[in-house]
Amino acid sequence: MMISESGTSEKLSLEELHASVGVRSGRKHVLSILVENKPGVLTRVAGLFTRRGFNIDTLAVGPTDDDAVSRITLTVDGAVHPIDQVTKQLHKLVNVLKIRDLEPADSLARELALFKVTVDGPQRSEVMQICDIFRGKVVDVSKESVIFEVTGTTEKITAFDQMLKPFGLVEMMRTGEIAIARGRDET
Amino acid sequence: MRAVDAIMECLKAEGVEVVFGLPGGANLPTYDAFVDSEIKHILVRHEAGGGHAAEGYAKATGKVGVAFGTSGPGATNLVTPIVDAMMDSVPVVFMTGQIRSDLLGTDGFQEADTIGITMPGVKHSFMVTKAEEIPRTIHEAFYIARSGRPGPVVVDIPVDISRGEIDYVPVTDVSLPGYQPNIEGNAKQIRQAAKALAAAKRPVLYVGGGVVLGNASEELRALASSDRFPVTSTLMGLGSFPAEGQQWLGMLGMHGTRTANYSMDGADLICAIGARFDDRITGKLDEFAPNAKFIHIDVDPAEISKNVPAHIPIVGDVKSILPRLTSEYRAIGADSARLDGWLTTIEGWKKEFPLTYSDTTDSEIRPQYMVEAVYEATGGDAIICSDVGQHQMWVAQYYHFTEPRRWINSGGLGTMGFGLPAAIGAKVGCPDQDVVLVAGDGSIQMNIQELAACAEEGIAVKVLIMNNGCLGMVRQWQELFWQKRYSHVHMGDYPDFVKLAEAYGATGIRLTEKGTLVEDLRAAIATPGPVVVDVRVTEEENVYPMISPGMAARDMVG
């Protein structure tokens, strides 16, 4: 059924209305959240995820150029959770100042990882070559082990991890991603 | 000035008339300030009673309720009212004492992490770390509690901080950069909604507690009467639209009327106003209102499309949105005749499926009849409080509320024991109105100690216990869904509520005769002071109709 408003040509039919709901984007989202630097704020953010049944994939917290404000960068799987519910619930926290859902194309994301590998003899040079390819650095060497430092996107670090696994990987440490908007705009 | 005297000044500035609470070690300084303050304090017998009383006060008056408790167990006893207030969006400020700040984290005597324990259930919370911060914190707490979507705010003050001295300067502003609650409602969206209403052939206005909280009952009535829109309400919205007349469909949801649920099922447009599509409303979500598009008006953006897709979301204050929607709708000049078919269908459902029960032929009192008798005895004009269970549903079905803030119950959390303290709060807030609590024999025992507060303070609440000797709603579910394998639902013969009432200093009455029930209730309600009436009703009676859990509205039973 079509109706028209007096004086305009605008029309509306109920059939044409579309709801956007619980849409799962199917991709990873990097949320950059500015929060007041007060005790318990991280607990409020993390607790909200637990309470609403959302999973945090990675989480990084650090200071900003303003002492009163901290930044939480977290990643959420948009295939599992409707991202608009996550951000709307976050907005309800009184200590949350600003949330930005960073578009992959408009932002840069980096993670830092440390890998400890037990290698000796010919294997050692082989892993160091792999490290070179990934533009990693050797930051510690002992008779039986090497520690590599790598930065990059989550995907790059995961790829490096896969390459090292066959060589007796002892430990891996990852920081979780931080991200920044490209260009002049503030994140 | 002593920091605690500044607390009293702040409460006064916020318009607080009364505080419900119980003192203890960690809030001794604050209680000392009550001695010289004009602010009234009602001593409850359990902190949960104080918390629910503050809720009842807030629900009845629309003002912010205030509850005090000490640290540790005082604070943990407040957890239930805090979460209850969160679920029903009740503006309450909870102020708790905390142990000395130098002892925090040492597992000191009566230490509990109040902020941590309450965090998932508060709108916001503050731990005060400096005495100078107390005034600003209190004002911010009140502002957050009452604005936007209302809710509970906890202020936790270590005892050494409240002992401090400060230079008190009245606070006239709040500084909450991350909190912007007041939204007007987008004009374009409102116009879209008006057009959708004009295009709809089978519209329903589905209203919730937000209309009561937003004081928008008049505005809702104006919208409904701008055409012949049928109106249904959630449990929490009852009274926002008068429960009478052609447009009223009755309550919807699990124990709503068939007419209301069938109307939702058949609607082509549902306009949700201050309602949140709870599972008790939708039943099986996939089959909820399968033919409908949705307009969703709510002050909380996170409610939009949380459970059900909104085609036209309008975020903002319902009191500002509804009049604009009404005038936009009127300007369209839609042809009201398009609704004829729909209204005829609805009339048919009303005739075919009225709320009904099989009354007794002897003197036994059916619980539904008891509610009808309460309605008659009060002239439909009292503030009615309830606990949680079958009696709550029967009151919602058979007491026809015509005004908002006359129906005070625990909806979201479903807290047994809410009723008596909430009735106390309502009576303290509205001393000139009759306040009648319809309680269950199970629920009443969860906070019955507050009868002492009623007697001591002369709070004349009338407690009508719908006594069926069992935990009725649980019994009903065991009957219907667990093959009558009754497990721990029978309450036995004790206590004797009449003797118990007398021991507490209230009048105790027992009623068992249907024939004189209305007059007996009228006499009981007219008896001065607190009164407890033990009304014996049929044990095995079920609340019908019913959408069985996980089923669709059109499959209602009973």
Side-chain angles (χ1 to χ4, degrees):
Chain A
M1 175 172 138
M2 306 292 282
I3 59 102
S4 62
E5 191 185 293
S6 50
T8 75
S9 58
E10 272 187 279
K11 287 185 178 176
L12 181 116
S13 79
L14 291 186
E15 290 71 30
E16 282 169 7
L17 292 173
H18 297 292
S20 61
V21 173
V23 174
R24 285 165 169 70
S25 64
R27 67 168 169 89
K28 182 182 84 177
H29 286 259
V30 179
L31 301 182
S32 185
I33 308 165
L34 282 179
V35 297
E36 291 183 272
N37 181 15
K38 287 187 174 171
V41 174
L42 179 61
T43 317
R44 286 181 205 273
V45 171
L48 184 140
F49 275 74
T50 314
R51 185 157 60 92
R52 297 279 172 189
F54 307 140
N55 288 317
I56 300 176
D57 288 337
T58 70
L59 175 72
V61 190
T64 64
D65 49 330
D66 180 350
D67 285 343
V69 176
S70 301
R71 186 183 301 279
I72 297 176
T73 308
L74 58 80
T75 58
V76 188
D77 189 346
V80 185
H81 307 298
I83 205 72
D84 71 318
Q85 256 300 305
V86 177
T87 54
K88 282 172 177 175
Q89 295 292 351
L90 282 169
H91 266 300
K92 284 170 70 171
L93 296 177
V94 170
N95 300 126
V96 169
L97 301 172
K98 187 180 157 192
I99 302 170
R100 186 147 170 199
D101 181 4
L102 291 166
E103 285 291 330
D106 303 329
S107 60
L108 280 172
R110 290 290 181 269
E111 191 174 2
L112 168 67
L114 298 171
F115 294 86
K116 185 184 288 182
V117 192
T118 51
V119 280
D120 48 18
Q123 283 200 322
R124 179 169 292 212
S125 56
E126 202 179 326
V127 272
M128 292 181 60
Q129 271 177 3
I130 295 170
C131 174
D132 274 347
I133 294 166
F134 281 83
R135 299 191 191 181
K137 277 193 290 188
V138 175
V139 286
D140 183 78
V141 185
S142 73
K143 273 186 185 158
E144 292 136 14
S145 69
V146 187
I147 298 176
F148 297 112
E149 174 192 311
V150 185
T151 59
T153 61
T154 293
E155 293 72 25
K156 173 180 160 186
I157 288 167
T158 304
F160 187 57
D161 178 36
Q162 295 301 319
M163 294 302 291
L164 286 192
K165 273 225 170 95
F167 295 93
L169 181 63
V170 179
E171 271 183 326
M172 172 186 66
M173 306 280 166
R174 294 170 71 156
T175 57
E177 275 186 316
I178 55 168
I180 195 163
R182 286 181 189 271
R184 173 65 186 81
D185 286 349
E186 279 182 33
T187 305
Chain B
M1 184 187 281
R2 295 191 304 169
V4 289
D5 294 321
I7 292 177
M8 296 297 149
E9 289 301 315
C10 295
L11 295 181
K12 220 162 71 183
E14 289 291 349
V16 174
E17 304 160 322
V18 59
V19 170
F20 302 90
L22 194 85
N27 61 7
L28 275 169
T30 319
Y31 270 79
D32 186 74
F34 274 115
V35 174
D36 300 320
S37 170
E38 304 152 27
I39 290 174
K40 191 175 165 62
H41 179 274
I42 305 271
L43 176 65
V44 291
R45 267 53 178 176
H46 187 289
E47 286 88 352
H52 293 311
E55 285 188 272
Y57 174 88
K59 286 190 177 199
T61 62
K63 299 175 196 164
V64 179
V66 186
F68 279 19
T70 189
S71 66
T76 56
N77 280 343
L78 284 170
V79 170
T80 303
I82 289 169
V83 180
D84 192 274
M86 187 69 175
M87 291 289 270
D88 285 350
S89 307
V90 192
V92 179
V93 171
F94 294 88
M95 288 183 64
T96 49
Q98 183 52 275
I99 66 165
R100 263 178 19 225
S101 35
D102 61 307
L103 288 173
L104 280 172
T106 67
D107 304 319
F109 177 65
Q110 292 197 328
E111 177 177 6
D113 176 7
T114 303
I115 296 294
I117 289 169
T118 59
M119 196 174 280
V122 295
K123 185 171 175 187
H124 194 54
S125 53
F126 296 93
M127 166 72 111
V128 181
T129 53
K130 293 191 193 89
E132 305 79 65
E133 290 172 0
I134 288 177
R136 172 163 295 278
T137 305
I138 291 177
H139 290 298
E140 288 178 350
F142 274 83
Y143 176 69
I144 293 171
R146 77 159 71 89
S147 56
R149 178 178 182 173
V153 180
V154 170
V155 180
D156 197 29
I157 310 180
V159 63
D160 55 315
I161 306 295
S162 61
R163 272 176 181 279
E165 289 278 332
I166 61 169
D167 295 326
Y168 175 63
V169 184
V171 179
T172 53
D173 65 321
V174 291
S175 165
L176 296 161
Y179 181 69
Q180 285 109 20
N182 298 319
I183 309 162
E184 290 245 309
N186 181 295
K188 206 174 132 205
Q189 292 293 91
I190 292 172
R191 181 163 309 143
Q192 279 287 101
K195 282 197 249 171
L197 280 170
K201 283 180 170 166
R202 302 187 308 280
V204 172
L205 304 185
Y206 149 55
V207 308
V211 177
V212 179
L213 292 162
N215 298 311
S217 180
E218 284 310 313
E219 290 78 1
L220 169 69
R221 291 166 196 214
L223 173 65
S225 61
S226 67
D227 207 325
R228 297 171 291 162
F229 296 125
V231 181
T232 182
S233 165
T234 67
L235 179 70
M236 304 314 289
L238 292 176
S240 56
F241 192 80
E244 59 198 13
Q246 195 204 9
Q247 286 171 263
W248 175 242
L249 303 174
M251 181 174 78
L252 82 166
M254 182 173 272
H255 292 298
T257 63
R258 280 180 189 264
T259 303
N261 286 322
Y262 288 179
S263 299
M264 295 291 276
D265 192 62
D268 65 350
L269 181 74
I270 289 171
C271 182
I273 308 171
R276 61 184 174 87
F277 297 92
D278 176 81
D279 60 274
R280 285 295 188 267
I281 297 303
T282 61
K284 191 178 184 183
L285 203 52
D286 300 342
E287 293 179 30
F288 172 67
N291 307 306
K293 306 287 180 189
F294 294 92
I295 299 168
H296 194 171
I297 303 171
D298 205 291
V299 73
D300 178 359
E303 284 304 334
I304 307 283
S305 298
K306 185 181 78 179
N307 297 333
V308 167
H311 299 82
I312 305 178
I314 309 176
V315 177
D317 180 8
V318 70
K319 199 174 176 65
S320 125
I321 291 167
L322 290 184
R324 290 151 70 200
L325 179 56
T326 305
S327 63
E328 291 280 0
Y329 180 77
R330 283 189 184 280
I332 294 170
D335 179 11
S336 187
R338 76 191 189 285
L339 303 177
D340 287 347
W342 180 228
L343 296 175
T344 307
T345 307
I346 288 172
E347 270 316 301
W349 285 328
K350 280 190 183 181
K351 286 213 174 68
E352 195 177 347
F353 307 112
L355 279 176
T356 180
Y357 61 95
S358 67
D359 204 355
T360 51
T361 51
D362 55 10
S363 65
E364 189 178 347
I365 302 167
R366 286 272 191 262
Q368 299 93 327
Y369 177 73
M370 176 181 161
V371 177
E372 292 183 318
V374 174
Y375 181 75
E376 216 175 314
T378 56
D381 204 27
I383 293 178
I384 302 289
C385 305
S386 90
D387 262 303
V388 169
Q390 285 184 315
H391 67 277
Q392 176 190 25
M393 292 299 114
W394 281 316
V395 176
Q397 291 178 333
Y398 289 94
Y399 198 98
H400 311 289
F401 294 94
T402 51
E403 294 299 327
R405 301 197 182 278
R406 295 277 179 84
W407 167 230
I408 291 166
N409 76 129
S410 164
L413 194 61
T415 307
M416 289 172 69
F418 170 87
L420 177 57
I424 291 173
K427 184 67 184 171
V428 169
C430 307
D432 299 332
Q433 280 181 274
D434 282 335
V435 175
V436 174
L437 165 66
V438 179
D441 52 309
S443 288
I444 189 68
Q445 294 187 60
M446 290 202 184
N447 268 320
I448 200 159
Q449 76 285 345
E450 302 309 336
L451 282 175
C454 295
E456 288 291 344
E457 302 275 351
I459 302 166
V461 299
K462 316 300 171 183
V463 181
L464 314 180
I465 301 173
M466 184 183 278
N467 189 347
N468 59 5
C470 60
L471 298 166
M473 190 59 95
V474 185
R475 193 207 58 73
Q476 175 172 342
W477 281 52
Q478 288 179 350
E479 179 190 328
L480 299 178
F481 309 118
W482 296 88
Q483 297 80 43
K484 295 195 181 183
R485 285 163 54 86
Y486 292 128
S487 179
H488 303 277
V489 287
H490 292 101
M491 303 288 281
D493 299 328
Y494 301 104
D496 180 328
F497 287 111
V498 173
K499 284 186 183 164
L500 191 60
E502 285 164 0
Y504 273 120
T507 305
I509 299 168
R510 178 164 297 121
L511 298 178
T512 55
E513 281 294 322
K514 186 174 85 177
T516 55
L517 188 60
V518 175
E519 301 132 61
D520 291 343
L521 286 175
R522 200 173 281 139
I525 290 164
T527 306
V531 178
V532 176
V533 188
D534 179 15
V535 185
R536 298 298 174 94
V537 301
T538 311
E539 179 184 322
E540 298 213 344
E541 184 68 25
N542 291 336
V543 183
Y544 285 127
M546 178 176 195
I547 304 175
S548 299
M551 301 293 281
R554 76 182 78 87
D555 302 321
M556 286 198 91
V557 295

